[in-house]
Amino acid sequence: MPASYASDPSLTRGRLYPEDETTARGPRDAFQRDRDRIVHSISFRRLRHKTQVFLAPDGDHFRVRLTHSIEVAQIGRTIARTLGLNEDLTEALCLAHDIGHPPFGHAGEDALKAALEGQGGFDHNGNTLRALTEIDSPYPRFPGLNLTWETLEGLAKHNGPVTAPQWALAAADDAFPLELETYASLEAQVAAIADDIAYDNHDIDDGLRAGLLSLDQLLAVPMIAMRWDQCRARFPEVAADRLTGELIRGQIGAMVNDLIDTSRAAITASGVKSPDDARDAGRALIGFSDAMRDDERGLKRFMYANLYHHPFQLAAADKAQAIVAGLFAAYYAEPSLMPGDWPARLPQAEPWISRHIVDFIAGMTDRYAITRYREVVGEIDMPDAF
């Protein structure tokens, strides 16, 4: 039974372009259709070859943006179901939250920010909205996927109110006002923290697999050490290298349980009765306890110091930025080098010339960006893959 503060698809604020709901294919409500439109989109499919932690990994067992998004959705659905929230909206937000990331993750984003300096800059969150409302357009009657207001709102401000939206997000808000100054739905808040829970822990798994992290390093993190001791107590006869999966599962379970207990208490104490009450609460109602929040921040500091800023990762990021910057320079100097109808659709003036070129680059997968760089710029030596 949904809670009164859960988003209700029958009460959606609608879509920017009205549709005849009687033509819906199959017995799906508005949020289910949003989720399915995202799953069937080209933007979503491209996530399978976009960096999560490691640049274009050859190993089949490393996570990419696609598998990460699916894992976030699994965690988000569990939390939403337990709290009585709308699972379909939560899942849609989890699946779509990384669609705006360019190739090579944050390294690619830094290069695009530099390319658009003075032209409005680049932000992957704003680019998610742009991809889903303008660029990925499989339908004959409107641009974009024409998602519901609730889905767009959740993608725009799942990390909290936005007081200074970047140009792409501002454009989406101008077209379909998303009340950026308020908090998002509880479903969007769940999606945001499900993302944190997933990458906090799955990046540990990938770091160990790649050999960039060791168990001894990890045991310097108090919350990891505590969970490891629990694993060893439960499975004293099992070799240590067989217990890393159990360690990760224990971590995720502890974080999810803490989040559910803390969020349920916060919702009750706030007295919210409807989705709009939650938006107007003045604070996020989905979150960790103080102790877990401190532990999670400590884990993030460890991961930045030991994995994300590992010398191998920094060297790969330098190569990635060179590829993205080189592609932008080449296409800006000679737009006809872009394939398909991209040159024909080139705007006539700035900032839209640069933004159009960035639209093309931002949609690339890692491997496609490497291929295009070698075609239009020249050879580049890439770090050895894992």
Side-chain angles (χ1 to χ4, degrees), residues 130-185:
R130 182 161 176 76
L132 296 176
T133 61
E134 296 286 343
I135 299 172
D136 199 340
S137 297
Y139 300 98
R141 307 186 81 127
F142 44 76
L145 302 187
N146 202 30
L147 302 174
T148 62
W149 184 91
E150 289 79 7
T151 297
L152 296 177
E153 179 228 18
L155 292 170
K157 54 185 183 177
H158 56 276
N159 289 320
V162 181
T163 57
Q166 177 262 0
W167 68 269
L169 180 53
D173 182 57
D174 286 343
F176 200 9
L178 300 172
E179 300 177 1
L180 296 179
E181 70 282 359
T182 69
Y183 281 85
S185 66

Side-chain angles (χ1 to χ4, degrees), residues 53-237:
V53 177
F54 301 118
L55 187 154
D58 284 345
D60 292 338
H61 298 166
F62 291 105
R63 289 166 176 86
V64 292
R65 290 279 172 197
L66 179 63
T67 54
H68 164 71
S69 298
I70 293 170
E71 289 169 338
V72 174
Q74 180 271 317
I75 294 170
R77 281 197 315 268
T78 298
I79 298 167
R81 180 178 302 175
T82 307
L83 294 176
L85 301 175
N86 187 280
E87 289 183 53
D88 298 309
L89 177 58
T90 304
E91 184 176 19
L93 295 169
C94 292
L95 292 172
H97 79 282
D98 269 355
I99 275 176
H101 274 282
F104 312 120
H106 294 291
E109 182 167 0
D110 289 342
L112 293 184
K113 285 179 180 177
L116 286 184
E117 186 175 0
Q119 309 295 354
F122 181 87
D123 169 70
H124 73 264
N125 197 41
N127 192 54
T128 294
L129 272 290
R130 182 161 176 76
L132 296 176
T133 61
E134 296 286 343
I135 299 172
D136 199 340
S137 297
Y139 300 98
R141 307 186 81 127
F142 44 76
L145 302 187
N146 202 30
L147 302 174
T148 62
W149 184 91
E150 289 79 7
T151 297
L152 296 177
E153 179 228 18
L155 292 170
K157 54 185 183 177
H158 56 276
N159 289 320
V162 181
T163 57
Q166 177 262 0
W167 68 269
L169 180 53
D173 182 57
D174 286 343
F176 200 9
L178 300 172
E179 300 177 1
L180 296 179
E181 70 282 359
T182 69
Y183 281 85
S185 66
L186 296 180
E187 287 83 0
Q189 295 178 38
V190 166
I193 301 193
D195 181 29
D196 286 343
I197 293 172
Y199 77 71
D200 281 344
N201 294 292
H202 294 144
D203 290 357
I204 292 174
D205 189 27
D206 281 354
L208 288 169
R209 189 181 305 279
L212 299 189
L213 294 178
S214 70
L215 182 58
D216 286 344
Q217 283 178 294
L218 284 165
L219 293 181
V221 181
M223 71 181 301
I224 300 288
M226 179 181 67
R227 213 74 59 206
W228 180 251
D229 288 342
Q230 292 172 351
C231 289
R232 297 304 290 154
R234 289 181 62 201
F235 303 102
E237 76 288 355

Side-chain angles (χ1 to χ4, degrees), residues 2 20 28 39 98 102 192-193 214 291 307 321 327 342 360 364:
D20 181 0
R28 298 172 298 162
V39 168
D98 269 355
I193 301 193
S214 70
L307 181 62
Q321 290 188 39
L327 285 171
W342 284 91
F360 175 55
M364 292 181 176

Side-chain angles (χ1 to χ4, degrees), residues 271-288:
V272 299
K273 300 298 183 185
S274 71
D276 284 341
D277 286 347
R279 293 185 176 95
D280 295 334
R283 64 185 182 95
L285 298 176
I286 305 297
F288 296 123

